[in-house]
Amino acid sequence: MSSRSTILFGPPGTGKTTSVLDIVDEDLKGGTPPDRIGFFAFTRKAAGEAVSRATERFNYDRDDLPWFRTLHSAAFKMLNLGRERVMATHHYKELGTALGSFTFKYNYDETTERAPQGGGLGDRALALYALARARCGSIEQCWRSLDELDISLLDAERFAAALYEYKQAMGLLDFCDFLETSRHTALDLDTIIIDEAQDLTFQQWTFARHIGRSAKKVILAGDDDQTVFQWSGADVRTFLSLKGDLRVLPESYRLPRSIWSKVDA
């Protein structure tokens, strides 16, 4: 990010979403079309809340705000992909059968943004593979950095290699591929807002820099004390090292002062 960036620190209940929607309001009143504004959240829940509040506040339909979505969903849209191009549950099960004992207990499709933990050997191998991709490191580096793993390095590397070959043969992408493949596609927006920025992975930060490089205004909102996705590769150090105009929302409208003081101690 650059000097065009505003970093908005907003602990729980301080009105972070309201503050960023105030920025959207200013841009709209200044003549920026709604489809030139991007609001990207880490989770689907946060993206859904932003869409709901924006459509109500600005009297828009959902289609008027095409770039209010998660980062993975934005990459999917930029690539103009259909579901038929994305690795799904039946693909993983087919791959697992070919490999032998790699069973899958969870479901996967184009809306998958973080591989769940646990499950069968296939699920665990996919979670480790996804973590390595999120960190932009090797399977071995990731495997050696974790404690109490229930998958061998040999199985993890064997799965990753087989998955790559399967995707190549079938012409498919997995949910980890969206962010990297879409970096070859431009996204021309005037304003970009990224919410829950403390939970972005290294891979997502790389994607965020790509989509934000031509924007006139970039707002990154988050709170390092609310980092909850370390297990899936959250890179809070990048968030804390950002340069730009720092703004802190100091007053919580949700928590009693006694609780706020204890938490903030």
Side-chain angles (χ1 to χ4, degrees), residues 87-98 102-107:
M87 286 285 293
T89 306
H90 67 277
H91 296 119
Y92 286 111
K93 288 186 175 180
E94 182 178 58
L95 175 61
T97 299
F102 286 77
T103 58
F104 290 87
K105 296 183 179 180
Y106 298 119
N107 292 318

Side-chain angles (χ1 to χ4, degrees), residues 1-2 4-10 16-17 19-21 23-24 27 37-43 46-47 50 67-72 74 78 179 187 189-213 215 217-223 235 238-239 242:
M1 303 300 170
S2 70
R4 293 174 289 113
S5 301
T6 297
I7 300 93
L8 186 65
F9 284 90
K16 188 166 71 271
T17 301
S19 296
V20 294
L21 288 180
I23 294 171
V24 173
D27 287 353
I37 300 173
F39 184 107
F40 304 106
F42 180 76
T43 61
W67 296 107
F68 275 53
R69 53 185 63 236
T70 66
L71 289 166
H72 273 84
M78 289 169 65
L179 298 176
L187 180 59
L189 296 176
D190 292 327
T191 297
I192 285 181
I193 298 166
I194 298 179
D195 196 13
E196 304 177 311
Q198 76 280 348
D199 280 319
L200 267 61
T201 67
F202 187 88
Q203 185 189 40
Q204 288 173 320
W205 279 117
T206 303
F207 175 70
R209 290 187 179 94
H210 167 68
I211 63 174
R213 62 186 178 185
K217 185 188 299 183
V218 177
I219 295 90
L220 301 126
D223 175 22
D235 180 17
T238 294
F239 177 60
L242 294 172

Side-chain angles (χ1 to χ4, degrees), residues 67 74-80 178-188 207 210-213:
W67 296 107
F76 185 85
K77 180 177 174 63
M78 289 169 65
L79 293 169
N80 196 28
F178 298 167
L179 298 176
E180 292 182 12
T181 307
S182 59
R183 293 209 302 269
H184 302 292
T185 305
L187 180 59
D188 183 22
F207 175 70
H210 167 68
I211 63 174
R213 62 186 178 185

Side-chain angles (χ1 to χ4, degrees), residues 147-167:
D147 297 324
E148 300 180 8
L149 281 175
D150 49 4
I151 182 173
S152 70
L153 177 58
L154 179 62
D155 279 340
E157 291 184 327
R158 179 174 169 234
F159 173 82
L163 176 58
Y164 175 80
E165 292 179 2
Y166 183 91
K167 290 186 298 180

Side-chain angles (χ1 to χ4, degrees), residues 1 10 17-18 29 48 56 67 86 100 102 108 146 171 217 246 256:
M1 303 300 170
T17 301
T18 299
K29 289 177 178 177
E56 180 179 356
W67 296 107
V86 181
F102 286 77
Y108 304 91
L146 301 175
K217 185 188 299 183
L246 298 178

Side-chain angles (χ1 to χ4, degrees), residues 129-150:
Y129 159 85
L131 182 58
R133 294 287 300 275
R135 292 177 174 178
C136 296
S138 69
I139 295 291
E140 181 175 359
Q141 288 173 330
C142 188
W143 185 87
R144 294 191 182 282
S145 71
L146 301 175
D147 297 324
E148 300 180 8
L149 281 175
D150 49 4

